[in-house]
Structures are given as C-alpha cells and as structure tokens.
Amino acid sequence: MGIQLSFQLLVAIITAVLVLTALSMSRGISQASKLVEKQTQISSLSSCNFYSGKWVFDNQSRPFYNGTNCSFMDDGMACQKFGRKNLSYLYWKWQPNDCDLPRFNATAMLEKLRNKRVVYVGDSLNRNQWLSMVCILESEIPNHLKYVNYNGSLVTFKAIEYNATIDFYWAPLLVESNCDDPSYHRVEERIVRIDSIEKHARIWKDADVLVFNSYLWWRLNLKVLWGSFESAYAKYEYLGMLRTYELGLQTWADWLDTHVNRTKTRVFFVSLSPTHNRGEDWGKANGQNCYDETEPISNREYWGSDSDPEMMKLVEVAIKKLNEKSGFKVELLNITQLSEYRKEGHSSIYRKHWDPLTKEQLANPSSYADCIHWCLPGVPDVWNHFLYAHLLYL
C-alpha cells in the first residue's frame, strides 16, 4: 500500500511539473509572439507617412472619450454641452495610406509617462491639444487620483498614481512678448522681444517631453523689440512677418541646442492648425465660414488661403538646421493638411460666449462662429494619436 501511494505521489508530482513546464513554455511563446508582433508594428510605423491618408467614418472606435464626462473640459471646446446637435464630427478616424495607427491605449500611455513631465508650450491651439490629451487619459483615472492646477501661464494636470505630469504653458510666440499674460493678452500694439526666451523656458527646462506650436500670433503685424521692455534705450522696428518668425524660431532653436538634455528629452513641433474663416475657399459664398458645416472637405488637393506654406517652410528649415548643426532632433507633427479637410470640426457657435451677443450677431451666427479652435472630442485627438505612436513605438 505504501509503495502504491508513493508511486501515485510521484506520478502527481511529475504531472504537475509537466503542466507547469507547458504553461511556462506557452507563456514564453506568447510573450515572444507579442514581442515579434510589436517589432513588426514598429517596423511598419517607422516607414509610414502618418500624414498622407484620408478621413474614414468610424462610429465603433471613435471618439476616444465622452466629452460630456471629461472632468476638466473647457467651455470654449465643449460643443455638445453648448447645443451642437449634429455629432458626426465625433466619428471621423484618420487612416494613413501606408499603415494602421496603433490603438490608443490610455493606460499604456500613462505607464509610459510614469515619473515624467510633458509640457505643451504655445498658444490656445496647443492648449486645445493639451486638453485633448488630458481628456483621453483622465477617463482611466479615479477622481481622487487626478487634479488640475492653474498657476498663471502654467496649467498642470497630475495623474497621482503614475506621478505623471502633463502641463500647458501659455507662450503664444514662444519668445517673450507683451501678449504673455494668459488672461489679458489682447493688446492693440503687439510687441515681441525676439531674442529673449529664458523667461518662459526656465519653466519647462526639466521636461521629459516638449510639444511646441506657434503660428497664428505671428500673422499679426508685430513690432520687434531689441532690448528690454523696461529700458529707455530699447530699439523698436518692423521686420515683416516672415523675417520676424524666422528670428523667433532661431531664438527657440538656439535655446534648445544649449539647454535641453538630448538624452532625456524628446521634442516635438506641431505644424500650423488651419482656420476655416473663408468659406469661398471651399465653394461657399463670400463672407461665410465654418458655421453650419457638417461634413469634411472631400477634395484631396484642398488648401486654405489662411495657411501660409512659407511659414511652414521656415519651421522645417529651423528644425533641419538644428539637426545638421548639432544632431539635435525635433520631431515635426505635420497635422496641417489632414486638418485642412475638417471644416466642420471647429467650435463654431457651440461654446461659451464671454460677452453677451448682440441682436445683429444673433441674426447672423457666422459673425460670431469660432473657426479657429476645435470641438473636443475631435480633430486634436488625432494630433495626440500621432504623439502617442511616436512615444510608444518610434
């Protein structure tokens, strides 16, 4: 009897060992398979032009989040809250010609950003993109483990469990100007201190990821200041839009080259976000704009008259020179052409109006439509999808 029990025990032990070995091998094969799959995906994405493609209607996987549930939604972008009934703008997915973008996994993104700091630096369109990222990520975080803090030009979203920080910093011209107050920047005469950036840059010097944009504010007639705002001997002059923009980008690039730790920090520049203020660009009557638009533009060759290719070229040149000079890599998120098609994606009249609307405005809604900023969820989610792909796969 004792021998029989010992034999049965031995068989049980051998069986258990074999089962555990099989499970371990299966797990190892599964992990290896996932690794090969990810390497294949990385290879595909690295050779893919994300920005050449088309918008595809997809009401299964879009939107990434429910805008009405986003804890930190801005009333300037909350189109559903302010009465937008046509919601088809929520369901358009950007499909590159050469690849499929990886599924946006908010938890994976948070894990990638654990113990890191991301800073979006720029104007209100970059704030539009920052808020998009916040809404995507915060939907996966319990209320007691997240918060947003406002401190002048700096707005901070904190994911406490991950010790991840995602900031927005208001610097519409990147360099110093008299438009730097986040609340009171609508001045009559706009002045840019073209060779001074340290006032802003010291705030985001330690970031792990920097996401810059700057375009629309340079389209104004800026006066260039040489010297300080306080100096009685400062010199002022007008240099023209392109030259002024070029000098501002040079100051930005020089600062990056000197101060950013290139082994730690990844730097991105988001190309110009198009406006849709001129309806005649896509066949509407003069004086019309994005108001009451419900479908994207289907003409693949469309390019709006407010989008300046010369200014885009200056960004590309500044990035290229920085790379050639010292090997510093700035990654361009070229969102312009794909966003050109989305005339129906703007906040339009579906937002909070800070000043009471007049009878004349109410009689002509296009007169107060915002055709610059974007509804959320919406187009900026795609810009962040590109950022996600870069950070997790490239």
Side-chain angles (χ1 to χ4, degrees):
M1 180 67 69
I3 293 172
Q4 185 177 2
L5 287 174
S6 296
F7 177 74
Q8 290 174 341
L9 179 61
L10 180 60
V11 170
I13 291 171
I14 292 172
T15 302
V17 169
L18 289 173
V19 169
L20 289 172
T21 301
L23 287 173
S24 178
M25 290 177 65
S26 174
R27 191 177 298 114
I29 292 170
S30 176
Q31 289 174 345
S33 176
K34 288 179 180 179
L35 182 61
V36 169
E37 182 181 342
K38 183 165 185 179
Q39 290 298 328
T40 302
Q41 191 171 26
I42 290 172
S43 177
S44 171
L45 292 173
S46 63
S47 60
C48 179
N49 178 2
F50 291 168
Y51 314 109
S52 177
K54 61 183 178 181
W55 289 99
V56 177
F57 191 80
D58 177 5
N59 59 3
Q60 300 301 311
S61 67
R62 298 297 184 273
F64 288 146
Y65 54 93
N66 186 332
T68 59
N69 292 339
C70 180
S71 307
F72 310 109
M73 180 59 73
D74 184 286
D75 281 349
M77 305 161 198
C79 300
Q80 289 171 269
K81 176 180 176 180
F82 287 92
R84 182 159 184 172
K85 302 302 181 188
N86 182 297
L87 301 180
S88 62
Y89 71 94
L90 293 171
Y91 304 114
W92 291 97
K93 176 179 75 174
W94 180 251
Q95 178 60 58
N97 292 326
D98 303 330
C99 65
D100 292 322
L101 290 171
R103 184 178 68 86
F104 198 121
N105 184 324
T107 303
M109 184 64 159
L110 285 164
E111 195 60 56
K112 180 70 175 180
L113 299 180
R114 184 181 289 277
N115 300 320
K116 290 184 171 59
R117 183 185 183 214
V118 180
V119 187
Y120 289 79
V121 181
D123 59 23
S124 55
L125 285 158
N126 216 17
R127 187 173 186 274
N128 213 166
Q129 186 177 353
W130 167 82
L131 184 57
S132 157
M133 181 63 84
V134 168
C135 288
I136 293 171
L137 298 184
E138 71 94 30
S139 62
E140 299 296 320
I141 306 172
N143 287 335
H144 67 287
L145 292 175
K146 61 189 175 186
Y147 66 84
V148 166
N149 180 64
Y150 297 85
N151 183 18
S153 296
L154 184 67
V155 187
T156 296
F157 169 77
K158 190 76 172 183
I160 298 170
E161 183 181 0
Y162 295 88
N163 191 32
T165 303
I166 303 175
D167 289 338
F168 168 73
Y169 184 83
W170 169 263
L173 296 156
L174 302 183
V175 294
E176 191 177 344
S177 75
N178 66 343
C179 311
D180 290 340
D181 189 297
S183 301
Y184 305 100
H185 44 255
R186 297 186 178 183
V187 298
E188 288 187 15
E189 185 177 50
R190 301 179 188 238
I191 301 170
V192 58
R193 194 177 173 201
I194 204 70
D195 58 352
S196 177
I197 197 171
E198 185 60 33
K199 171 187 171 183
H200 300 316
R202 60 187 175 83
I203 303 298
W204 24 270
K205 185 176 180 179
D206 67 337
D208 298 281
V209 180
L210 285 166
V211 184
F212 293 98
N213 93 314
S214 192
Y215 170 70
L216 274 182
W217 284 69
W218 297 93
R219 303 274 291 165
L220 307 167
N221 191 24
L222 296 174
K223 181 185 284 189
V224 173
L225 165 65
W226 300 102
S228 70
F229 284 103
E230 297 78 18
S231 174
Y233 304 100
K235 177 184 176 184
Y236 296 86
E237 62 179 332
Y238 290 101
L239 298 175
M241 180 184 70
L242 291 177
R243 179 57 177 160
T244 305
Y245 190 46
E246 182 180 29
L247 290 173
L249 289 171
Q250 186 60 56
T251 298
W252 165 78
D254 287 345
W255 184 88
L256 289 175
D257 189 27
T258 305
H259 294 92
V260 170
N261 182 347
R262 63 197 69 199
T263 63
K264 170 192 174 185
T265 304
R266 291 187 71 172
V267 181
F268 298 86
F269 195 101
V270 183
S271 67
L272 71 91
S273 171
T275 64
H276 291 91
N277 287 312
R278 301 173 185 266
E280 59 268 28
D281 285 351
W282 62 89
K284 290 182 79 171
N286 286 358
Q288 297 299 302
N289 54 26
C290 72
Y291 169 67
D292 211 25
E293 292 288 349
T294 60
E295 297 288 334
I297 292 169
S298 58
N299 177 11
R300 300 287 294 275
E301 304 301 318
Y302 176 80
W303 185 269
S305 58
D306 281 338
S307 300
D308 191 328
E310 292 301 313
M311 293 183 74
M312 288 186 66
K313 185 66 176 177
L314 289 175
V315 172
E316 293 169 4
V317 168
I319 290 173
K320 183 179 179 182
K321 284 172 62 176
L322 186 57
N323 187 278
E324 291 176 346
K325 174 185 174 184
S326 57
F328 193 103
K329 184 179 180 182
V330 175
E331 299 169 84
L332 180 66
L333 300 183
N334 194 354
I335 56 90
T336 304
Q337 182 66 79
L338 63 98
S339 304
E340 289 278 7
Y341 304 131
R342 295 299 305 277
K343 59 180 169 52
E344 91 300 354
H346 293 285
S347 300
S348 186
I349 65 171
Y350 305 106
R351 58 192 172 86
K352 182 173 182 177
H353 302 286
W354 307 103
D355 299 314
L357 298 172
T358 65
K359 289 182 179 179
E360 292 75 17
Q361 285 177 311
L362 290 170
N364 179 22
S366 62
S367 67
Y368 63 93
D370 179 354
C371 299
I372 296 174
H373 302 97
W374 304 90
C375 294
L376 291 179
V379 175
D381 301 334
V382 178
W383 309 346
N384 281 321
H385 201 170
F386 298 146
L387 184 63
Y388 171 86
H390 275 276
L391 290 177
L392 272 76
Y393 291 89
L394 300 175

